[in-house]
Amino acid sequence: MTTRRQPPEEGASEKPGRRLFRIVSRDQPVRHLTRVRLEGAEPLPFLAGQFARVGFEGLTPRDLSIASTPGDRVLEFHIRDLPRHGPSLFERIGAGTHATVEGPFGRGYLREDHTGPMLLVAGGSGIAPVKSIAETALAMGMKQPLHLYYGVRDESELYLGPHFLELTRAHANFKFVPVLSHSESTRARRGMVGEAVAVDFTALQGFKAYVFGPPPMVRATLQALRARGLAAQDIHADEPAD
């Protein structure tokens, strides 16, 4: 279930709260990435696409995009490992331990009053906020075309592929396009995700775009979107650490 929440006014300061959560599950859907679910006494108010500052016991807090939908009691995060920080996060935290969650932060949230088509572009763990935005928009009954482009290295990193394919079967207005940058497959779309968007769309007037992922991918994609006529006010992107 999604909860409609009044977005902050543009330029207004945010007043994030800090809450204590408990780790209820964790897994490694792909190498170098840990998926964590946290449960608290009450939901964290946030908008789809925002992120939080999460501090696991004994570890430096990190800015992490929220993959769950607003109103969920459980917060889901997809966390890329940082090799310079030693063992993987999966090895350093366990179910039942606690984490502090501060937030929400970020301006890359879903604009719920938009009625035109939407373009979601994600690279790597940037799929977390895109997952939240897509699921929230569909649960709200938004009927406009919703295109999700997901860029990863190869098939092994498409851990959410089956989930998004199921959404395409359930919602006629939802389209999922995986793009693989380092794959030898002859069946998959190959290349860089921003380039794939530029090939598929010659004009983007009337769209809203949400872009999340590694900074080089975000910059390249934003350049492609602007070249296709998308106005700055219709591009929404945050660049938290993960």
Side-chain angles (χ1 to χ4, degrees):
M1 183 182 72
T2 61
T3 301
R4 190 180 183 93
R5 183 168 162 249
Q6 186 68 26
E9 295 181 6
E10 295 295 335
S13 60
E14 293 163 324
K15 297 180 180 179
R18 179 177 295 177
R19 294 171 169 79
L20 186 66
F21 281 73
R22 179 176 60 89
I23 300 173
V24 293
S25 71
R26 82 203 200 290
D27 68 335
Q28 281 187 305
V30 296
R31 192 166 62 96
H32 301 319
L33 188 140
T34 301
R35 178 167 49 192
V36 178
R37 294 182 174 92
L38 308 177
E39 185 174 34
E42 59 183 26
L44 176 77
F46 70 95
L47 296 168
Q50 290 191 302
F51 63 96
R53 187 159 297 130
V54 183
F56 297 101
E57 294 180 7
L59 300 176
T60 302
R62 294 170 63 180
D63 289 348
L64 303 172
S65 295
I66 303 169
S68 45
T69 56
D72 287 352
R73 285 286 291 271
V74 174
L75 291 180
E76 180 178 312
F77 299 95
H78 300 192
I79 310 169
R80 177 177 51 84
D81 284 335
L82 301 177
R84 66 182 182 276
H85 288 190
S88 72
L89 182 67
F90 183 78
E91 298 175 277
R92 301 170 75 182
I93 62 173
T97 59
H98 290 86
T100 58
V101 178
E102 182 180 1
F105 303 99
R107 298 288 181 179
Y109 55 82
L110 172 65
R111 270 56 179 182
E112 298 176 359
D113 58 350
H114 177 66
T115 58
M118 292 191 294
L119 179 62
L120 310 180
V121 187
S125 58
I127 196 62
V130 163
K131 174 179 178 289
S132 177
I133 290 172
E135 291 178 349
T136 300
L138 295 172
M140 291 178 58
M142 298 177 77
K143 300 300 185 184
Q144 63 264 53
L146 176 56
H147 307 268
L148 194 164
Y149 283 72
Y150 183 22
V152 294
R153 287 181 59 86
D154 54 45
E155 290 89 343
S156 69
E157 297 186 0
L158 282 175
Y159 64 101
L160 285 177
H163 173 68
F164 291 124
L165 289 174
E166 183 61 32
L167 289 181
T168 66
R169 289 188 282 268
H171 301 275
N173 62 319
F174 179 71
K175 182 178 181 181
F176 171 57
V177 182
V179 182
L180 311 180
S181 61
H182 292 74
S183 174
E184 298 302 322
S185 171
T186 58
R187 296 179 298 140
R189 183 82 174 266
R190 291 183 289 178
M192 306 306 292
V193 68
E195 295 172 356
V197 171
V199 168
D200 291 352
F201 296 91
T202 57
L204 288 168
Q205 290 86 353
F207 276 71
K208 284 279 188 185
Y210 302 86
V211 185
F212 299 88
M217 166 261 161
V218 171
R219 286 192 291 269
T221 301
L222 296 186
Q223 183 177 5
L225 297 180
R226 296 186 187 106
R228 293 296 183 269
L230 193 59
Q233 65 266 25
D234 291 322
I235 301 174
H236 308 288
D238 284 316
E239 297 182 28
D242 293 274

